[in-house]
DNA sequence: CCTAGCATGTGAATGTTATAACTTAAAAAC
DNA sequence: GTTTTTAAGTTATAACATTCACATGCTAGG
């Protein structure tokens, strides 16, 4: 098998293209060019074509891309031709926000279990889902065949939660806690850090001020 | 002036190093090597040294880095030797979570105004802060000398909010809405996309499955 | 049927980032 | 005081990603 490695930056952009295509489709647009996509998401046209080229030929020369088709292709490539059940740990404010986040549902993500070890939170309802104690996680994972977990707990608890998730068979983790998790080979892990981007902004603002001197 | 451009990836890691150093400092660690930092945050030792080299020489050869000093330096570089007042628009669940997020306060970020145009939300309190109508934003910005805004509204409203922020003098925007914002030159903008990383995970899980065939 | 116009797909070149190898300096041991 | 060890700083190399420019192929119009 010819294993061409796809850059993660390309996958990231593919996700963005995909969502932009959904929007075009909702607006009734049927055809789009690489230049228009580029314009819409803020990259170069060549970048769009190069990214898509990793996965095949989806356009018609002289014409452009069929919006519906390309939307389906991109979703398929990203694995979004199926629904994904998600396990969430952490029923704090962030967990609550994630549970009710529309951007997940619209892409086929569905949180099927919310867990916490805080007794004051267990039993409460978040968007029609009861917060369960950690012990219940194994059966929920099995019931829904979940493969992905989300960590929305304070930093100090994150590693334990991750270990517990892996022990119970989850294969991929999205971590919102600002710590580096140590996980066995083969487990997919990505971090979403809410304050890093903010610090990039302050860095750039500081730099800008310095430039003015 | 010698303008050396610093890669954004370096700034991102600097932010992570910085937080890791704070943790070491809290734990009473006084000296640390590039290898230990690397281990702690999940990068290579060479990467750590290279990143720091963009900004100066902070270590002692044969010894390592003084934790407290390096922590101060990194925070200074990132502009975190001062507090940053933040303007937040969007008092939904995500806005609420951001208001109460401890990771902001501990790094000197303080949300000083929460705004929304939803009448059912205006007047409510979020963490001792009253949700205000958009019209009040100008005076809050002036009062606190705020320069950074956070957008936590649905995608369709994001561009208008961004325009309004810029019109009122904000210079940098952290956008949680999954759309590309169109802003004038000179305005710093970064997006935090909650589902992109999730789609990287599903992409990789799909790829992994394909490999097994 | 032939030509003109257009936008994709692609291979080469450019630019950038990360890795590795090496040099320098400090400290500790002898 | 000399040597050995350690780890930072630096240079060179390799890997990677992006941009550019052109050839390819489709569509439409005459």
């Amino acid at each position: 098998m010819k294993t061409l490695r796809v850059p993660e930056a390309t996958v990231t952009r593919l996700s963005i293209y995909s969502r932009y295509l959904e929007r075009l489709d909702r607006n009734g647009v049927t055809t789009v060019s690489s230049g228009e996509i580029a314009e819409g998401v803020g990259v170069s046209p060549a970048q769009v074509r190069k990214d898509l080229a990793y996965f095949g030929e989806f356009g018609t020369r002289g014409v452009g891309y069929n919006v519906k088709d390309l939307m389906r292709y991109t979703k398929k490539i990203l694995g979004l031709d199926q629904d994904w059940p998600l396990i969430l740990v952490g029923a704090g404010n962030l967990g609550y926000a994630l549970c009710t986040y529309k951007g997940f549902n619209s892409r086929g993500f569905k949180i099927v279990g919310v867990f916490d070890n805080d007794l004051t939170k267990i039993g409460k309802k978040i968007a029609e889902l009861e917060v369960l104690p950690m012990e219940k996680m194994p059966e929920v994972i099995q019931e829904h065949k979940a493969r992905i977990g989300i960590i929305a707990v304070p930093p100090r608890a994150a590693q334990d939660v991750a270990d517990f998730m892996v022990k119970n068979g989850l294969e991929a983790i999205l971590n919102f806690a600002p710590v580096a998790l140590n996980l066995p080979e083969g487990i997919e892990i990505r971090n979403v850090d809410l304050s890093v981007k903010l610090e990039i902004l302050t860095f750039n603002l500081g730099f800008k001020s310095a430039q003015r001197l």
Side-chain angles (χ1 to χ4, degrees), chain A:
Chain A
M1 173 184 170
K2 175 142 139 269
T3 306
L4 80 171
R5 208 183 119 318
V6 180
E8 180 144 328
T10 290
V11 181
T12 299
R13 286 188 296 262
L14 201 69
S15 165
I16 293 168
Y17 303 156
S18 180
R19 211 164 30 203
Y20 181 66
L21 289 163
E22 281 196 323
R23 204 173 99 199
L24 290 181
D25 185 46
R26 271 199 308 276
N27 294 347
V29 180
T30 57
T31 305
V32 70
S33 71
S34 61
E36 290 167 313
I37 296 174
E39 169 83 28
V41 306
V43 301
S44 74
Q47 185 79 81
V48 173
R49 296 199 298 274
K50 203 57 191 268
D51 284 336
L52 294 175
Y54 279 101
F55 307 101
E57 303 187 7
F58 306 107
T60 309
R61 299 181 186 205
V63 179
Y65 304 91
N66 178 287
V67 172
K68 246 188 223 313
D69 287 349
L70 188 57
M71 180 187 78
R72 283 205 203 95
Y73 282 128
T74 52
K75 291 189 76 167
K76 177 99 189 279
I77 292 163
L78 292 166
L80 303 181
D81 52 344
Q82 59 175 277
D83 282 354
W84 289 89
L86 304 176
I87 299 296
L88 171 68
V89 177
N93 293 327
L94 182 56
Y96 193 92
L98 294 173
C99 269
T100 56
Y101 183 61
K102 299 206 175 52
F104 286 165
N105 294 306
S106 69
R107 299 291 278 172
F109 295 110
K110 190 172 181 203
I111 293 173
V112 296
V114 186
F115 303 88
D116 208 302
N117 63 5
D118 181 342
L119 294 175
T120 68
K121 284 173 187 152
I122 292 170
K124 281 192 180 175
K125 285 223 166 180
I126 297 185
E128 302 175 13
L129 226 56
E130 191 185 334
V131 179
L132 302 173
M134 296 292 280
E135 309 90 74
K136 289 274 176 65
M137 196 193 293
E139 60 184 89
V140 175
I141 289 176
Q142 292 211 339
E143 185 192 339
H144 292 90
K145 297 185 177 23
R147 302 173 68 189
I148 303 177
I150 300 181
I151 297 179
V153 302
R156 76 184 59 196
Q159 183 65 56
D160 285 345
V161 171
D163 291 340
F164 191 74
M165 284 177 163
V166 172
K167 204 178 89 189
N168 287 291
L170 293 184
E171 300 163 61
I173 292 176
L174 186 67
N175 174 38
F176 284 85
V179 286
L181 298 179
N182 213 322
L183 295 174
E185 191 85 3
I187 302 296
E188 289 290 331
I189 166 86
R190 290 297 179 283
N191 300 293
V192 176
D193 195 307
L194 299 179
S195 70
V196 161
K197 294 280 178 87
L198 211 37
E199 299 188 8
I200 292 173
L201 291 179
T202 57
F203 172 82
N204 285 338
L205 286 181
F207 195 70
K208 211 166 76 177
S209 308
Q211 294 285 61
R212 272 202 297 273
L213 296 179

